[in-house]
Amino acid sequence: MRSVIEASPDEDVCILDTEASPEHLARGTGRHADAMLAVVEPYYKSLETGRRMAVLGRDLGLSRVSLVANKIRDDRDLEAVQEFAGKHELELAGVIPFDEALPGAERAGAAPLDFAPQARAVQAIGELAGTVCK
Amino acid sequence: MKLVIAGKGGSGKTSISGTMARLLARSGRRVLAIDGDSNPNLALTLGIPIERMNDLPTLSRDLLRRTADGQELTRTLAEVCESHSLTGPDGVSLLVMAHPQHAGTG
Ligand SMILES: Nc1ncnc2c1ncn2[C@@H]1O[C@H](COP(=O)(O)OP(=O)(O)OP(=O)(O)O)[C@@H](O)[C@H]1O
Ligand SMILES: [Mg+2]
């Protein structure tokens, strides 16, 4: 897989959706990427896994590694992620609210963007895309 | 720009990857989305019917050649995409690395 990433031209966007295992990344899947987004939910185990993956990404030499907060329900959730990011000196590239539209799309067998284009989570992912791929 | 989406199981990697891919394609980028999960499901989030996935040949070992520090493609990425990718809504190309029975070719 890393050969595919390496071969993809720079002017295009190549998005690699990975498996949850850090081993996967450690095998070098991420080595030829420019950036990593570690998606975290606002609870300890998820944050900790995200942090470990971010560290792996840095070790692999990726120039930009950041966290994305997902399934954020309220200010407390947001503060938990912000505090964790601050403590570990990790950038928080985006915040995506908890949104029923995503599981709803899944149940309907549709893409979130087709099922609920105006959904808050979809809008937030749009903002994230703009931040990451300027 | 080559972007890896990582995170704990169920954190939202696939939802974010698929939706970002579609939105970037809409904004005029050429987007290649790669499903690197051994249990692939990125197609759904991209809006590609699951049935179409069944017709897709997976990347096999003969596309890769061993080199000193790993592997490289034996054909250009364009050629690989030509034969092994699907094009979905907004023109996003989807490349699926492995089906469960073929796990390990990535
Ligand atoms: N912002 C959100 N609000 C509510 N539900 C969400 C949100 N993001 C994702 N989900 C839901 O969480 C579940 C897991 O999401 P997804 O499949 O994108 O995660 P994943 O990290 O790719 O999982 P896996 O590790 O199994 O590949 C899905 O049911 C999805 O609809
Ligand atoms: Mg997934």
Side-chain angles (χ1 to χ4, degrees):
Chain A
M1 168 156 28
R2 64 191 106 119
S3 344
V4 174
I5 304 168
E6 189 174 31
S8 83
D10 283 338
E11 63 274 22
D12 301 342
V13 182
C14 172
I15 297 179
L16 171 63
D17 179 23
T18 62
E19 211 154 295
S21 75
E23 295 74 33
H24 206 243
L25 293 172
R27 278 207 311 259
T29 307
R31 191 175 303 150
H32 299 289
D34 308 304
M36 174 194 288
L37 297 178
V39 181
V40 294
E41 294 179 63
Y43 66 93
Y44 183 73
K45 274 193 170 171
S46 182
L47 289 163
E48 191 48 32
T49 302
R51 186 192 64 77
R52 279 209 311 274
M53 288 177 162
V55 169
L56 267 170
R58 279 182 182 166
D59 291 349
L60 288 172
L62 305 200
S63 52
R64 186 173 175 186
V65 173
S66 21
L67 299 182
V68 171
N70 190 26
K71 307 194 197 181
I72 299 302
R73 290 176 192 266
D74 51 31
D75 288 348
R76 276 184 49 202
D77 282 354
L78 180 58
E79 281 159 21
V81 179
Q82 282 170 337
E83 195 195 319
F84 184 89
K87 192 166 119 196
H88 297 285
E89 294 178 14
L90 289 164
E91 183 203 9
L92 186 56
V95 176
I96 298 155
F98 185 93
D99 192 333
E100 274 302 329
L102 294 191
E106 209 168 83
R107 280 192 296 274
L113 190 59
D114 299 322
F115 179 79
Q118 300 304 326
R120 288 171 62 223
V122 171
Q123 302 289 320
I125 296 170
E127 275 171 40
L128 173 67
T131 307
V132 177
C133 299
K134 272 194 274 298
Chain B
M1 160 64 85
K2 300 163 194 176
L3 186 62
V4 175
I5 313 290
K8 192 169 165 60
S11 58
K13 299 179 291 296
T14 302
S15 305
I16 293 172
S17 301
T19 306
M20 265 183 86
R22 288 278 305 269
L23 289 167
L24 287 167
R26 270 191 192 178
S27 76
R29 302 283 194 127
R30 267 185 52 190
V31 181
L32 170 64
I34 303 177
D35 193 339
D37 201 318
S38 57
N39 197 0
N41 64 352
L42 182 58
L44 177 63
T45 332
L46 287 170
I48 297 174
I50 288 299
E51 305 84 70
R52 285 188 60 199
M53 285 253 306
N54 298 333
D55 306 332
L56 197 65
T58 47
L59 291 183
S60 54
R61 286 177 198 283
D62 56 281
L63 285 173
L64 296 169
R65 172 167 57 217
R66 290 217 161 274
T67 61
D69 62 344
Q71 296 171 319
E72 64 181 20
L73 291 175
T74 54
R75 286 182 239 159
T76 68
L77 186 62
E79 285 167 347
V80 173
C81 284
E82 180 73 31
S83 55
H84 289 74
S85 79
L86 285 172
T87 304
D90 296 317
V92 174
S93 303
L94 169 66
L95 203 55
V96 178
M97 297 309 295
H99 281 178
Q101 66 270 30
H102 295 167
T105 39

